[in-house]
């Protein structure tokens, strides 16, 4: 999607931060969002991703996973959005097909451990229940786990990751599609620094956060206002508000049929809530 950089006249490739290394699902999302002609900037944690995205000397944009259809939202990433001056400019839903990757010739009985990112392990937990001899070990990235097995020639260790990672690092797919449910999608966000983020034409989706007065009916009045504006609520989640026991930060996504109502809807949200922050106004992705 080259239009994510509509004003760029540089001949250098856009530098896109991804969580993980080559072969990670973040790479697939980055290429769908920004096109094939990009320079990948790896980050082995989401905190590192946020740091690199904030630095104009390091990166132009980033891709960050925000939720998975099997295991839910990555709430820590919402907190990163809350803390940083980023703007969501696009989203994509990537089908996630998890594979058990091993060195050539290794069999299931040979494995004593399988390494991968915690989200990948959670997506595949059911596959390993009949194999209690295999320890599931959390790592920083799916593809990095595959690369480590190949580099160290670990014959008793497997990794969960993409077919791309297996091909890149010379590993066999011992078991394909081991996710618990085949309808396994991860939603990824395209992020740019707020100061330079473009206005997205045809935007019909809004992501915001806010707090509400700690009194009866506060949230219901906001939901009624969104309904009156013909906003379709696609997500609402709460996280505890640090330092204020019993109070919460609300994370809300909504779509509209008529983008012209977005400015007024946001004005009303700002009036009716406290600390309203707009994460992004962008086009809704399909599955």
């Amino acid at each position: 999607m080259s239009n994510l950089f509509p004003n760029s006249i540089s001949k250098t490739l856009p530098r896109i931060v991804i969580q993980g290394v080559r072969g990670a699902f973040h790479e697939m999302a980055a290429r769908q969002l920004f096109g094939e002609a990009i320079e990948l900037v790896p980050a082995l944690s989401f905190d590192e991703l946020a740091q690199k995205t904030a630095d104009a000397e390091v990166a132009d944009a980033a891709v960050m996973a925000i939720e998975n259809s099997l295991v839910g939202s990555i709430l820590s990433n919402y907190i990163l959005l809350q803390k940083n001056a980023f703007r969501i400019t696009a989203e994509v839903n990537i089908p996630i097909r998890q594979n058990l990757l091993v060195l050539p010739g290794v069999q299931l009985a040979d494995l004593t451990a399988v390494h991968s990112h915690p989200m990948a392990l959670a997506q595949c937990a059911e596959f390993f229940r009949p194999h209690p001899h295999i320890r599931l070990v959390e790592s920083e990235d799916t593809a990095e786990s595959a690369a480590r097995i190949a580099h160290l020639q670990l014959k008793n260790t497997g990794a969960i990751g993409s077919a791309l990672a297996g091909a890149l690092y010379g590993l066999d797919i011992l078991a394909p599609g081991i996710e618990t449910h085949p309808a396994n999608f991860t939603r990824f966000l395209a992020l740019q620094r707020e100061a330079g983020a473009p206005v997205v034409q045809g935007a019909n989706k809004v992501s915001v956060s806010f707090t509400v007065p700690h009194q009866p009916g506060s949230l219901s009045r906001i939901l009624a206002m969104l309904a009156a504006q013909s906003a379709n609520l696609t997500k609402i989640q709460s996280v505890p508000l640090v330092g204020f026991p019993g109070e919460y930060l609300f994370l809300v996504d909504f779509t509209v049929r008529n983008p012209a109502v977005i400015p007024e809807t946001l004005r009303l949200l700002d009036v009716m809530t406290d600390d309203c922050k707009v994460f992004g106004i962008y086009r809704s992705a399909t599955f």
Side-chain angles (χ1 to χ4, degrees):
M1 289 188 178
S2 58
N3 61 344
L4 291 177
F5 295 101
N7 301 316
S8 176
I9 59 174
S10 172
K11 293 183 180 180
T12 59
L13 298 180
R15 302 161 300 167
I16 310 300
V17 188
I18 62 169
Q19 193 275 315
V21 298
R22 285 293 316 277
F25 290 104
H26 272 77
E27 177 183 352
M28 299 179 188
R31 297 193 186 282
Q32 285 207 32
L33 287 164
F34 293 97
E36 291 294 326
I38 58 176
E39 177 186 340
L40 296 174
V41 180
L44 286 183
S45 70
F46 287 114
D47 282 337
E48 183 183 347
L49 179 147
Q51 292 169 11
K52 289 184 172 181
T53 305
D55 189 344
E57 296 298 317
V58 174
D60 300 300
V63 171
M64 184 172 74
I66 199 66
E67 64 180 314
N68 175 264
S69 59
L70 298 187
V71 297
S73 298
I74 308 176
L75 292 179
S76 57
N77 285 357
Y78 276 105
I79 301 305
L80 287 176
L81 291 179
Q82 187 71 20
K83 290 181 177 179
N84 289 276
F86 300 149
R87 185 58 67 106
I88 302 170
T89 55
E91 67 174 1
V92 66
N93 296 303
I94 299 288
I96 304 297
R97 186 169 173 83
Q98 300 284 15
N99 305 282
L100 181 55
L101 307 175
V102 296
L103 289 173
V106 170
Q107 301 300 312
L108 196 61
D110 300 324
L111 297 178
T112 59
V114 166
H115 294 230
S116 200
H117 190 276
M119 291 289 284
L121 295 176
Q123 292 166 29
C124 303
E126 290 298 320
F127 175 85
F128 291 99
R129 292 196 193 282
H131 309 288
H133 68 285
I134 299 176
R135 290 185 304 113
L136 300 182
V137 181
E138 294 185 359
S139 67
E140 293 179 309
D141 177 48
T142 55
E144 188 273 336
S145 297
R148 183 172 177 272
I149 288 170
H151 178 68
L152 298 178
Q153 291 291 290
L154 300 176
K155 294 185 177 182
N156 65 346
T157 304
I160 298 172
S162 69
L164 174 61
L168 281 172
Y169 302 115
L171 301 182
D172 284 351
I173 296 178
L174 181 59
I178 63 172
E179 60 275 3
T180 298
H181 194 283
N184 183 24
F185 290 82
T186 294
R187 177 184 170 215
F188 293 87
L189 305 176
L191 302 178
Q192 294 180 232
R193 288 179 295 278
E194 196 166 42
V199 175
V200 179
Q201 299 301 316
N204 68 331
K205 187 170 185 177
V206 179
S207 293
V208 298
S209 69
F210 55 77
T211 61
V212 297
H214 195 46
Q215 58 192 40
S218 294
L219 183 59
S220 64
R221 284 190 288 271
I222 294 163
L223 298 181
M225 179 274 291
L226 291 173
Q229 291 291 108
S230 298
N232 179 34
L233 200 68
T234 60
K235 183 184 186 73
I236 181 167
Q237 192 145 3
S238 63
V239 294
L241 195 58
V242 176
F244 298 89
E247 298 189 33
Y248 295 87
L249 177 73
F250 290 93
L251 309 164
V252 170
D253 294 343
F254 63 88
T255 60
V256 295
R257 289 186 179 180
N258 179 11
V261 307
I262 291 176
E264 176 63 10
T265 304
L266 291 178
R267 186 192 71 80
L268 291 170
L269 270 177
D270 191 51
V271 170
M272 298 175 68
T273 68
D274 297 323
D275 303 315
C276 184
K277 179 173 182 177
V278 179
F279 292 143
I281 305 171
Y282 52 101
R283 287 190 292 271
S284 177
T286 58
F287 285 94

